[in-house]
Amino acid sequence: MIDFLEKWSFFGGSVLLILIGLYGVITRKNLIKIFIGLSLMDTGINVLLVSLGYVEGGIAPIITSTINNNSYNFVDPIPQALVLTSIVIGVAVLALGLGVIIKIYEKYNTLDISEIRGLRW
Amino acid sequence: MTLLYSLLILLMLISGIAALIFDKLVNSIISAGMVSLIAAFLFYFLRAPDVAMAEAAIGTGLSTAIFIITLYKTEGRGN
Amino acid sequence: MNFRKILALITIILLGIFILQAFLIIPEKGEIALNNFGKADIENRTAQLYIDKSVNSTNEQVIYKESKDKESGSANIVTSIVANYRALDTLGEVTVLFLAATGLSAILYNKKHAKSNFILKEDSFILKNGIKILFPLLILAGSYIIIYGHLSPGGSFQGGAVIATAFLLKLLSSKEYELDENILKIIEVTAGVSFVSIGLYGLYAEGSFLTNFLETGTIANLFSGGIVPIIYITIGLKVAVELTNIINDLMKA
């Protein structure tokens, strides 16, 4: 049981979070909830990417006074650098989308996508 | 340790589901912030302190604030 | 259970099976395995070159406070990837951030220049006076995180977000407080132009864009890493100003 959890909890958890976010995006009718679903998908993808670079018993890739040379067992720094930029882009794009939501509310006076012409399906 | 982070992942999934099924939008925004906070802990366990700091400052702080500002501007309408 | 929910369930179950079978593939020789958590093969990945700081030179040991004149002198390896080895990616990322902030301003542009009419009906005493104490401390913490980004965890994105949070609190605390958008624009443009011109000077001096043309110094000193801390400070200013701008635009919409 512990072995199974150790091997699959990060991969399974992050994939399940992506699927939960997708389910929310498809089924919810409120525009703000749709964007909450999108941000859940974003978090899930980030956790999945970082966990692909994990090494058992590894340490954070920073050279300090106790970890004083590069023969230690570091985890992979490249996914961390990519996820770092991805988080910042995520919040900027989220703000752009929420600005569009504010404008939609000013025009239609509602956030329910079944009442907005052009978003109904 | 394995049990601890398995429980954290379970809590993250529960908060994610709760964020989608709450009726009031404020509750679901706070739940989404909780998902980000737990993700920051998970990044710390994965030995990624840089990413953990970014997720805690941006995902938990700024995105929640942006959502709540939007909610205020749209007067909390919707289901 | 209406039609939409059934369709959504079928979609996510199919997608879940699709992702899961990618994890269950047993790799052949030379392929990357996705199914063994915690056993990433760093030795055979590009990451090992970045950790050894030996992309263009031979492999030597990197020792704390002793090694001199390595390719990228920063002790935090994530920083040396973000601001030196893959700085072109970061330039693209900052461009996306700039475009998102500009697009938000264009969408929410309002001729009347409505005042910030956010949540508070009247100024709250605790919020107002607490933020007076907290604001300089937050700015200090953000600047520390940016400046020490090449030695310890942290860096421009985290520090920029902390500074933007300080301005968010300031905007919440009083109705009269207004940011001068011209100063924000000047800081943003200066930071962006200096980032690109550091890259262009590298092209002129060493022959490729964003090369490290300064002495990299002894590893783990404050003044080390060549152009890495300078680039990180410019990115930090840019991120802080753009996130502040986004919050300001949303509040005044």
Side-chain angles (χ1 to χ4, degrees):
Chain A
M1 184 66 187
I2 290 287
D3 284 349
F4 179 80
L5 280 181
E6 196 173 352
K7 194 169 179 186
W8 288 107
S9 56
F10 273 100
F11 288 160
S14 48
V15 169
L16 278 179
L17 192 60
I18 296 171
L19 296 180
I20 287 170
L22 184 63
Y23 181 78
V25 171
I26 298 175
T27 58
R28 298 298 107 170
K29 289 192 171 166
N30 189 315
L31 275 172
I32 292 184
K33 280 220 172 142
I34 289 176
F35 271 78
I36 288 174
L38 280 177
S39 89
L40 293 185
M41 285 174 80
D42 200 8
T43 312
I45 289 169
N46 290 341
V47 175
L48 180 60
L49 275 179
V50 174
S51 67
L52 284 177
Y54 180 67
V55 181
E56 225 165 6
I59 45 178
I62 299 169
I63 296 171
T64 59
S65 56
T66 47
I67 299 149
N68 52 7
N69 59 44
N70 62 346
S71 56
Y72 283 88
N73 193 10
F74 288 130
V75 300
D76 196 341
I78 298 178
Q80 300 187 13
L82 298 183
V83 166
L84 200 57
T85 56
S86 144
I87 289 173
V88 182
I89 290 182
V91 75
V93 174
L94 187 73
L96 185 62
L98 292 177
V100 175
I101 286 182
I102 291 175
K103 277 293 167 190
I104 287 176
Y105 182 77
E106 280 177 10
K107 185 160 163 67
Y108 292 96
N109 227 16
T110 179
L111 285 182
D112 195 340
I113 59 167
S114 56
E115 291 172 20
I116 299 171
R117 198 157 43 85
L119 283 180
R120 203 182 300 138
W121 68 286
Chain B
M1 213 54 189
T2 311
L3 272 181
L4 177 64
Y5 61 61
S6 303
L7 279 178
L8 276 179
I9 289 171
L10 192 65
L11 195 59
M12 180 171 85
L13 293 178
I14 291 172
S15 322
I17 295 172
L20 294 178
I21 62 177
F22 271 138
D23 276 342
K24 287 186 75 171
L25 281 173
V26 179
N27 297 353
S28 44
I29 289 169
I30 300 297
S31 290
M34 178 117 173
V35 172
S36 278
L37 188 64
I38 297 172
F41 277 113
L42 294 180
F43 288 135
Y44 177 72
F45 286 132
L46 289 169
R47 312 290 192 277
D50 296 88
V51 186
M53 280 175 82
E55 183 75 38
I58 295 174
T60 312
L62 278 180
S63 346
T64 309
I66 289 175
F67 269 122
I68 286 183
I69 292 169
T70 312
L71 183 61
Y72 176 78
K73 293 291 173 193
T74 55
E75 294 166 26
R77 293 291 175 85
N79 49 347
Chain C
M1 270 318 227
N2 54 12
F3 173 67
R4 184 197 295 248
K5 282 183 180 164
I6 296 169
L7 194 68
L9 272 179
I10 292 173
T11 312
I12 68 163
I13 287 171
L14 283 181
L15 189 66
I17 292 171
F18 183 70
I19 296 176
L20 201 66
Q21 65 94 20
F23 278 101
L24 291 179
I25 292 172
I26 293 162
E28 292 175 23
K29 210 176 175 202
E31 285 181 344
I32 294 174
L34 287 179
N35 60 351
N36 45 0
F37 175 72
K39 293 184 181 57
D41 190 8
I42 304 291
E43 298 272 317
N44 296 323
R45 290 189 182 181
T46 322
Q48 190 62 42
L49 298 180
Y50 295 151
I51 290 172
D52 290 339
K53 302 191 187 303
S54 64
V55 175
N56 290 322
S57 54
T58 51
N59 181 7
E60 285 175 51
Q61 219 181 16
V62 181
I63 302 172
Y64 180 76
K65 292 259 189 195
E66 280 183 24
S67 301
K68 275 188 184 175
D69 297 333
K70 290 290 182 183
E71 275 178 359
S72 161
S74 67
N76 187 345
I77 295 162
V78 178
T79 302
S80 72
I81 292 172
V82 168
N84 196 356
Y85 290 120
R86 287 172 183 256
L88 197 62
D89 282 358
T90 312
L91 183 61
E93 186 266 341
V94 171
T95 313
V96 173
L97 193 59
F98 172 72
L99 281 179
T102 316
L104 186 66
S105 301
I107 288 171
L108 295 177
Y109 178 70
N110 195 348
K111 276 180 203 161
K112 283 178 286 183
H113 273 292
K115 281 223 168 183
S116 167
N117 55 348
F118 195 60
I119 299 169
L120 296 176
K121 294 283 183 286
E122 56 195 59
D123 293 350
S124 144
F125 176 79
I126 294 176
L127 195 61
K128 202 170 180 178
N129 288 292
I131 285 166
K132 260 182 204 162
I133 302 169
L134 211 55
F135 180 73
L137 291 178
L138 277 174
I139 298 282
L140 185 68
S143 318
Y144 174 83
I145 293 174
I146 291 175
I147 292 171
Y148 275 72
H150 59 302
L151 302 180
S152 58
S156 55
F157 302 117
Q158 296 92 331
V162 170
I163 293 176
T165 313
F167 280 106
L168 167 69
L169 287 176
K170 195 87 177 169
L171 282 170
L172 277 180
S173 70
S174 87
K175 278 188 221 168
E176 283 81 39
Y177 186 74
E178 278 200 62
L179 289 165
D180 191 344
E181 285 169 10
N182 290 326
I183 294 178
L184 292 184
K185 268 177 209 155
I186 289 171
I187 295 174
E188 182 184 345
V189 169
T190 317
V193 167
S194 45
F195 186 13
V196 176
S197 47
I198 288 170
L200 285 177
Y201 187 78
L203 183 62
Y204 165 73
E206 302 275 329
S208 60
F209 191 59
L210 282 166
T211 322
N212 207 343
F213 57 84
L214 293 174
E215 292 271 317
T216 52
T218 309
I219 205 159
N221 277 351
L222 178 56
F223 292 102
S224 69
I227 62 169
V228 172
I230 306 171
I231 285 185
Y232 237 31
I233 288 171
T234 59
I235 301 171
L237 281 177
K238 209 164 159 53
V239 170
V241 169
E242 262 153 19
L243 290 180
T244 311
N245 228 334
I246 284 175
I247 290 167
N248 195 21
D249 283 340
L250 275 175
M251 274 192 170
K252 292 194 172 167

